[in-house]
Amino acid sequence: MAAAGEMLLEARGVEVTIDGIQILRGGDLDLRAGELVAIVGPNGAGKSTLVRAVSGLHRPSAGAVSWSGRELAKMRGRELAKVRAFVPQRMPVPAGVTVQEAVTIGRSALLRPLGRMTGADRAGVDAALARAGVSHFADRALTTLSGGELQRVQIAIGLAQEAPVLIADEPTSQLDLGAAIDVAGLLRKLADEGLGALVVVHDLALAAAVADRVVVVHEGRTEATGLPNEVLTPGRLSRIWGADARLTAEHGRTALHVAWLGPTA
Ligand code: ADP
Ligand code: MG
């Protein structure tokens, strides 16, 4: 685990061009150990492209990304697996695979080609199952899990890599309110334990409730970064989301007050 507050990820001016189309024009991000940073923005803003680019899953056409001071461009497979775990929006759920087996496969990202699982690897799998709160259903088949349980398992697979950073792309977007609260609480707990968590979320109330900082991505650029209430202002909610909305947080409750049907007389 990285030391508290240690800078783990720095990205500046990241650009991504796919098939001649510039999708990301200026992505900026910082992430420290123990911090939960939420990336928000409307559909198609470039959030997934940004987190995939800093993770090494898209090659940036410009910009600088470093992981604990190491340049992303110089890092390869296993080295990347040691600095960050990437939790995809939705993982494939093959029939007949148990939770324990799926997390063991996650751990294998750390092994050398054809390397064998050691006792330490098995202990790492058990620790990941426990940290994600899924040990009690480790023997169940993935196909039998609820959406929230599956998301916890995806996080456990990421944790099995023992990387200091976990990146999750919309981990709560398919979940009902209770399951979303559960997964958000897990991510918050992991950050409090020292993990750096970078989470794409489209629920602004959820982002404001759990994140230390919010990064707003709009039209392929990072346009604002800061505390949720500094960044998610009524002016920005109107300009970017076209919503007449206001965020409030008091007594541990966060709410997004929205004029769904326009202003009333
Ligand atoms: P978000 O995650 O914020 O919804 P994305 O990063 O997925 O946005 O996409 C940003 C924009 O880039 C969208 O307009 C999307 O259609 C486009 N895009 C994403 N991936 C590709 C791709 N592989 N080829 C072409 N266009 C893409
Ligand atoms: Mg996306």
Side-chain angles (χ1 to χ4, degrees):
M1 192 71 72
E6 182 185 329
M7 185 67 86
L8 299 173
L9 168 65
E10 286 179 279
R12 294 286 174 275
V14 179
E15 299 180 17
V16 172
T17 300
I18 297 177
D19 295 336
I21 299 166
Q22 195 173 32
I23 290 175
L24 201 63
R25 299 154 199 278
D28 299 310
L29 272 183
D30 285 339
L31 183 68
R32 293 175 181 274
E35 202 179 32
L36 195 163
V37 170
I39 300 185
V40 302
N43 289 332
K47 305 179 295 296
S48 294
T49 306
L50 174 59
V51 293
R52 291 177 63 80
V54 299
S55 301
L57 301 172
H58 274 317
R59 186 184 296 274
S61 46
V65 179
S66 63
W67 287 96
S68 301
R70 296 255 304 116
E71 251 182 87
L72 171 71
K74 295 185 178 155
M75 300 171 77
R76 295 284 173 268
R78 273 201 319 133
E79 217 179 337
L80 276 171
K82 283 184 184 165
V83 295
R84 62 41 175 171
F86 187 86
V87 180
Q89 202 159 350
R90 208 168 231 261
M91 71 168 179
V93 181
V97 174
T98 67
V99 169
Q100 171 105 28
E101 288 163 350
V103 176
T104 302
I105 293 167
R107 178 74 186 188
S108 65
L110 283 183
L111 301 180
R112 289 191 178 76
L114 304 178
R116 294 241 170 150
M117 291 280 288
T118 63
D121 290 317
R122 278 186 287 276
V125 169
D126 288 344
L129 291 164
R131 281 173 78 198
V134 300
S135 305
H136 60 290
F137 57 85
D139 294 327
R140 279 187 39 207
L142 295 178
T143 48
T144 68
L145 303 180
S146 71
E149 288 168 339
L150 193 61
Q151 198 50 242
R152 273 189 175 258
V153 171
Q154 285 198 237
I155 292 168
I157 292 170
L159 293 175
Q161 272 178 239
E162 285 182 19
V165 172
L166 187 98
I167 300 179
D169 193 354
E170 303 220 13
T172 58
S173 61
Q174 318 272 344
L175 304 181
D176 64 49
L177 181 61
I181 291 169
D182 179 66
V183 168
L186 170 61
L187 292 166
R188 183 65 256 174
K189 180 201 83 145
L190 293 170
D192 290 342
E193 290 170 359
L195 194 77
L198 186 60
V199 186
V200 177
V201 242
H202 73 224
D203 183 331
L204 300 175
L206 187 151
V210 302
D212 298 301
R213 283 188 300 120
V214 169
V215 172
V216 178
V217 177
H218 180 47
E219 295 178 348
R221 287 178 210 282
T222 295
E223 84 137 53
T225 298
L227 296 174
N229 64 340
E230 289 172 0
V231 165
L232 298 173
T233 56
R236 188 169 275 119
L237 295 171
S238 167
R239 181 167 52 78
I240 295 186
W241 282 268
D244 176 1
R246 181 170 52 86
L247 194 69
T248 61
E250 49 193 29
H251 311 303
R253 290 166 187 270
T254 310
L256 189 67
H257 303 266
V258 183
W260 288 97
L261 302 177
T264 49

